[in-house]
Structure formats: C-alpha cells, structure tokens
Amino acid sequence: MSAAFPGDHPNCSMILCGPLKDHVMTFLHYLKSCPPSAVRSLILQKKPSIRNMSSTAGGLRPASVVVLHRSLAPAFEKFCQANSGPLPLLGRSEPGKWTLPTLGTAPDTRTGRPQFQKYEFGACTGSLASLEKYSEQLKDMVTFFLGCSFSLEGALEKVGLPRRDPAGHVGAYKTAVPCVHVAGFCCPLVVTMRPIPKDKLERLMQASCSTVGQPIHIGDPELLGIKDLSKPDYGDPVVCQPGDVPVFWPSQLTGLEAVSSCKTPLAFTSAPGCTVMTDLKDMESPANRLTPEGIPEVHLISQDPLHYSITSASAARKIRELETIIAVDPGNRGIGHLLCKDELLRASLSLSHARSVLITTGFPTHFKHEPPEETDGPPGAIALATFLQALEKGVSMIVDQRALSLFKKLVEEAVEQGVMKTQTPILTYQGGSAEAAQAFLCENRDPKSPRFDHLVAIERTGRAADGGHYNARKMNVKHLVDPIDDLFLAAQKIPGISSTGVGDGGNELGMGKVKEAVKRHIRNGDVIACDVEADFAVIAGVSNWGGYALACALYILNSCEVHERYLRKAVGPSRAPGEQNWAQALPSITKEENMLGILVRHKVRSGVSGIVGMEVDGLPFHSTHTQIIQKLLDVTSVSM
C-alpha cells in the first residue's frame, strides 16, 4: 500500500515493502481495535497519512471534503441534494469554521493530514498537504463533508470476495450520464467499478445495499459512456477476470467535477483516495433486517450488450403474481407447457430501460371476412402503448399495409374514447430482406444507432418453419401478412435491441423461443409453431392479458424505489407515481370495454367463434375478461 509522509515536499510519498510494510500492517490491525476517538486522534497527529482508508477505522465514517466560497454554498448544497447518490451530504460548516456539531468532533480541514487539491477557475492547479497558508481566504469559505464509497470493500468481504485493490486507490470513471444542473454546477456522474463473479451478484446486492447503497449499473461500461475500463479518469484500474461482471457505484469524486465546472476563482477538495474521518458511523443494517421493499433482486435482461437490471423482492413478487393470473388456460390449449418462469418480469425490466418501443399486432385469422383481424391483440397492444406513453417513452406501432387504414381508425377512436391519451405513429414494413430490415430499424442504416431498443409483438401472426403463417386450424394466411417477422430476426443481430413476444397458442410472433414445447404439446403444433423467437416469451391464456400485464408490471417497477433509483443512476429527484398520473394510464374494465366496442363497430371478429360481439377468443368480456383485468389491477393497486 502507499503512505504519504510529511516532509520538505508536500507530496512526498513512498511505497512500503519488507519490514516497514509489516510494521504498517500491524499498525492497521491496531487501528481496527481502537475506539473511534483514539483513531481520530491518531489520524490528526503528524503520523503517516494512510491514503487508502477503506480498511481502517471501522467505527468511523470516511468523508471527502469540498471547500467553496460562501456565495456558492447554497447552490452547491442544492446540487448535492439533487444528486444525492454520488454526493451524499453529511454536513456543512459555517464560513470560517471547521467543526460540524452534527457530526461530532470532526477533523480541522486546515490541518488534517489527508491531501487536498486546489482549483482555480475550474482547473486543478496543485496538491496540498495542508490549507494553513490559505487561512485568510478560508474565512469566507464553507466546508462540505460528503459520504464516501470506501466501505464497499467490506461488502465484498461479506460475500467472500477477495480484495483486488490496486497499488494506489481504486479507479473511477467519468460517464456520459449528466448530473442534474444547479446554477453553475454542471458535470457528469463519476462512478467507481468492482468486478464481481456473476454467481455472487445476488449476494453482493444484499450486502452492499445494506451498507453503502445499491449500484447504479451492472454490465457493459459503454452503456454509461465508458470506453475503456483499463483507463480510469481517477486512480488505478481493477482488472476483470473471466466470468466477472462490471458493477458500478456512484462516486463522491463527482464533487471534483462539479467544482471544476463552476470555475470559481478558488476552491479546495480532498485529493482522490484521501478522506477525513468523522464520528458519523455507517448506518449498517444486516440484509436480513431489510424490509421486503429494500431487498434487491438482480436479473439479466440483455447479453449484447451485457446488461442486468434490479428491482426489489416485493416488486418482483407482485409481477410473478401477474404472470400467474394471465397463465390460466380457459381454452385448454395446453399453454402451461409453454410457460417459462419470470419471462414477464424480465420483459418488463427490459421495457423499463427502453427509450423507444415498436409494437406490432394483427392476426388475420378470419381470411374470408373483411377485416380478417381478430379482437385479440389490438386491445393489449394499445394498453401497453398507452402506459409506455405515460412513462414518456417513444412508442410506435407497425401493422400490415392492408390493415393500415383500420388501425389508424382504431387508434384515433381510442383517443376519442379516452382509452389512449395521445395517438401513436403507425408504420408499415414491406422490405423483405435482411438489409431492408436493418435499414428500417437503424438510423442511416447504422447498427450502432437503432431507432428502437425494444420490439413487442402481441398476438401477431408468426412465421412457421416452412415460411407459412398458420392459424390454429392450420390455415395458411401468408398472403395477408407483411414480413414484419424479418424485423425481429434482424434485431437479433443488432446490439441494443431486445424483443418480446406475447402469445396464447404458439403460432404468434416471438414464440419461436418455445417452439419445441409447442410442437409437443399444442394441437397442430408441428405445423403452426412460430419459428421466429423473441428474447422474452410471455405466455397468456389470451394475448390481450399479456399486454395488460406488461403495463401493470411497468407500473409496479417504476413505483419501486430500488428500480427507480437504478433507472435514474441515482442522480436527480425520484419520480413519485402520484405526480405522474400513471394510474390513469393503466388498463381498466371501462377502457377495455370501450376498446372492444370500437373493434366491434369496425366488425372485427372474435378469434375462436368468429362472432362480431363483446367477446375475445370466444370468451365473453363481461365475465371472463373483466375478472382477469380486475385481478391484475388488484395486484397492481398495492403499489398505488
């Protein structure tokens, strides 16, 4: 380890080795056994200044320091409050004073041994061992104490992970994630990273969330705008081993970027890797004492790029209840054999991270009638689109060219009837080649710039292995279908685009993920099974129910504090569900009755019976479907 000693030069330091290193390690063990007041006293004496404080002073809390002119103090305090993830404010001094009564007896920031950095007009112009020579200027300056992430190492030890500390201090990286701006403080989020074996992620989450807080990203660093983990902006890199997953936490070094951004004539900060020690103890609660809402679950939502998401155990449990509700099999088709656990949860987590979603529906099973569409599909698609709009995501629908006029009328009347708040763009695709599909999905044909990051198919006819599109009775309706399947195939090769298929019989787009089960257990499955798979296959007794359940799951996730903080990367204010009017965007019995009424007025028929009336898949709306909708809302309402 590295230790700095006071000498003729304020930055003199040396690398400890041999007997001297052994003495220092003995000294560290001694520190751990000391009461907090004794440790603080040792730190303030003119003794070796331990640069990496993460393994010492178990009863004390490390803090980094920012010292600014008093005129900037109100704005910086608001900046910290608006970005509390990277900048947890422990306290601030009055101008010219160096103790914080609310923190106990804190070190004097003028003479404490940790090193400081001096900033002039936004540039770091030097490193200091003391601020004593600036005593006159400090009379008009305010000291801020910010919580540090150094106790993260303790969380790693709790789950049996060996320490991988580099020679200096653990590296930190500037990201492309902007902090919330306040006055002249405008900077990117800075994060620290630890490589974690993927089989330890769940245990790490519970240990870290009970001590230093939850991470803000798990997976590919480029999703944060970090190009090279071997080149941190601060400190030294920690090397990832095979099987490791990069896990990122917000770093108090964001404060250095904030100070640089305001370009004040004079400011001081703790040097990276240096802290002062306060009497404010870590507010540690054992993981088994966390409330259900606080215990996190981690789920893989993308392999390319690698991306995990998190939510609380209680939110995950509610979404599993939704999955059970929609999995009933009123037609006795055997869909229970197609179910894959947690597909609804993973699909909704992926959609929650999406910026722009493309939804498709339309199954022309009544090929002898006009229109040939059925009443299953469009209501679920519009219900999902409505809630995605409420989350302020980009939403478009894509349908067959021959049905474009019908769907425009359906959406227009859905808005008039209060089913949707605003209309959504309706697109068509007739390309027919892999190149055309990629060009449609990407800006300027560039696979690094996808127009959509999630595709959803709800009761959309799916291409079988022989190229046909079959209804449940093995009738081929390919002549009525545009090659929208090609978009799902192309998305599989474009990093950053995920896909979800919702189906109730195995012949729907996306059900290729469960095609072997369809062939074995579904009537006519060997012929009708869709061959095109989606990343997530949501199985429902009626596909509309899957669309309703996705909307409800998104409500639950975005109402979950654990998931919501992860989405916003711990910067900015939390989003309160009540303020967003999300509940009004959920499907309801009244809205779905109105939607089905719109379909009936346009002579769209029930899928099983062919009746033009208030039923879907041969099941009456006012008994079967209303019960399912109410059950979904009852589970969701616990979050309201």
Side-chain angles (χ1 to χ4, degrees), residues 144-481:
F144 290 86
F145 291 83
L146 305 171
C148 293
S149 60
F150 292 148
S151 54
L152 178 58
E153 309 307 330
L156 300 182
E157 291 176 348
K158 280 187 177 181
V159 296
L161 294 174
R163 298 171 65 95
R164 299 189 200 170
D165 294 357
H169 65 88
V170 175
Y173 306 82
K174 299 178 189 178
T175 71
V177 178
C179 289
V180 172
H181 302 174
V182 174
F185 296 100
C186 169
C187 71
L189 171 69
V190 177
V191 296
T192 184
M193 186 279 294
R194 303 294 190 281
I196 306 298
K198 62 182 178 182
D199 62 343
K200 297 288 182 69
L201 283 175
E202 197 79 48
R203 290 177 59 198
L204 171 76
M205 296 297 298
Q206 296 181 12
S208 67
C209 288
S210 69
T211 54
V212 296
Q214 70 186 52
I216 55 92
H217 178 64
I218 305 172
D220 191 333
E222 288 207 20
L223 293 174
L224 293 177
I226 300 170
K227 300 299 183 182
D228 189 347
L229 285 178
S230 69
K231 298 177 180 179
D233 296 287
Y234 299 94
D236 303 289
V238 180
V239 178
C240 288
Q241 304 293 341
D244 284 346
V245 176
V247 181
F248 298 85
W249 280 265
S251 171
Q252 76 281 356
L253 295 178
T254 303
L256 277 63
E257 295 296 314
V259 169
S260 179
S261 72
C262 76
K263 300 188 182 339
T264 183
L266 181 66
F268 305 97
T269 70
S270 300
C274 296
T275 63
V276 296
M277 305 305 292
T278 74
D279 282 343
L280 186 61
K281 296 180 180 180
D282 287 329
M283 301 300 292
E284 178 176 350
S285 300
N288 59 11
R289 292 176 56 188
L290 292 174
T291 63
E293 183 59 34
I295 298 175
E297 288 190 12
V298 57
H299 293 274
L300 178 66
I301 60 172
S302 172
Q303 286 282 6
D304 188 13
L306 185 67
H307 193 192
Y308 290 79
S309 187
I310 68 173
T311 188
S312 68
S314 62
R317 174 181 50 77
K318 294 170 192 172
I319 295 173
R320 292 183 180 111
E321 289 181 38
L322 300 179
E323 190 171 55
T324 300
I325 290 169
I326 66 173
V328 297
D329 189 4
N332 295 315
R333 300 179 182 180
I335 65 167
H337 298 287
L338 313 184
L339 295 174
C340 300
K341 183 183 177 183
D342 286 344
E343 288 291 279
L344 179 65
L345 174 58
R346 285 189 285 266
S348 55
L349 283 168
S350 180
L351 279 167
S352 187
H353 285 271
R355 296 170 292 100
S356 180
V357 181
L358 181 66
I359 302 174
T360 185
T361 188
F363 204 128
T365 188
H366 301 298
F367 55 90
K368 293 183 179 179
H369 298 274
E370 182 58 38
E373 271 65 35
E374 61 168 306
T375 51
D376 192 17
I382 287 176
L384 176 58
T386 299
F387 198 80
L388 290 169
Q389 287 177 338
L391 293 177
E392 300 181 350
K393 299 184 185 297
V395 188
S396 301
M397 294 181 67
I398 184 165
V399 300
D400 296 313
Q401 177 67 42
R402 55 154 191 83
L404 179 60
S405 177
L406 169 65
F407 276 92
K408 284 185 174 180
K409 292 176 183 177
L410 295 179
V411 168
E412 181 180 331
E413 293 180 30
V415 174
E416 292 174 357
Q417 293 285 324
V419 178
M420 298 186 79
K421 186 173 182 180
T422 58
Q423 294 190 35
T424 185
I426 303 179
L427 313 175
T428 62
Y429 172 75
Q430 297 173 291
S433 71
E435 293 75 17
Q438 178 173 297
F440 181 90
L441 291 174
C442 301
E443 299 284 356
N444 301 317
R445 300 175 178 267
D446 182 3
K448 294 182 180 180
S449 302
R451 295 170 60 192
F452 312 99
D453 40 24
H454 204 116
L455 311 183
V456 182
I458 300 179
E459 191 64 17
R460 168 68 190 179
T461 173
R463 184 183 300 156
D466 65 359
H469 286 255
Y470 297 96
N471 65 16
R473 296 179 293 277
K474 297 196 295 186
M475 302 303 296
N476 193 346
V477 296
K478 180 180 180 181
H479 60 289
L480 297 173
V481 175

Side-chain angles (χ1 to χ4, degrees), residues 20-170:
L20 182 55
K21 179 177 180 180
D22 294 336
H23 286 306
V24 171
M25 296 308 295
T26 301
F27 176 63
L28 292 181
H29 288 301
Y30 168 70
L31 282 181
K32 289 184 176 181
S33 67
C34 289
S37 58
V39 178
R40 183 178 61 252
S41 177
L42 283 169
I43 292 171
L44 290 176
Q45 293 173 20
K46 293 188 179 297
K47 299 285 186 181
S49 174
I50 309 302
R51 292 175 60 85
N52 184 348
M53 301 301 299
S54 61
S55 61
T56 66
L60 297 176
R61 179 164 185 166
S64 64
V65 170
V66 171
V67 186
L68 294 166
H69 190 269
R70 65 194 304 170
S71 63
L72 296 173
F76 187 71
E77 183 170 353
K78 291 179 181 178
F79 181 77
C80 292
Q81 292 167 347
N83 300 283
S84 59
L87 301 172
L89 184 59
L90 303 182
R92 51 167 284 186
S93 73
E94 293 300 318
K97 296 183 179 179
W98 316 108
T99 59
L100 290 171
T102 59
L103 301 184
T105 306
D108 187 326
T109 55
R110 291 172 296 181
T111 59
R113 296 315 310 157
Q115 289 184 326
F116 298 91
Q117 290 189 157
K118 180 173 73 170
Y119 285 82
E120 296 175 287
F121 299 99
C124 181
T125 57
S127 194
L128 309 168
S130 170
L131 302 184
E132 287 180 303
K133 64 182 288 188
Y134 297 95
S135 293
E136 195 63 32
Q137 294 95 322
L138 289 170
K139 291 178 181 179
D140 286 324
M141 302 185 84
V142 174
T143 303
F144 290 86
F145 291 83
L146 305 171
C148 293
S149 60
F150 292 148
S151 54
L152 178 58
E153 309 307 330
L156 300 182
E157 291 176 348
K158 280 187 177 181
V159 296
L161 294 174
R163 298 171 65 95
R164 299 189 200 170
D165 294 357
H169 65 88
V170 175

Side-chain angles (χ1 to χ4, degrees), residues 4-13 113 127 129:
F5 291 82
D8 295 334
H9 193 281
N11 290 330
C12 67
S13 63
R113 296 315 310 157
S127 194

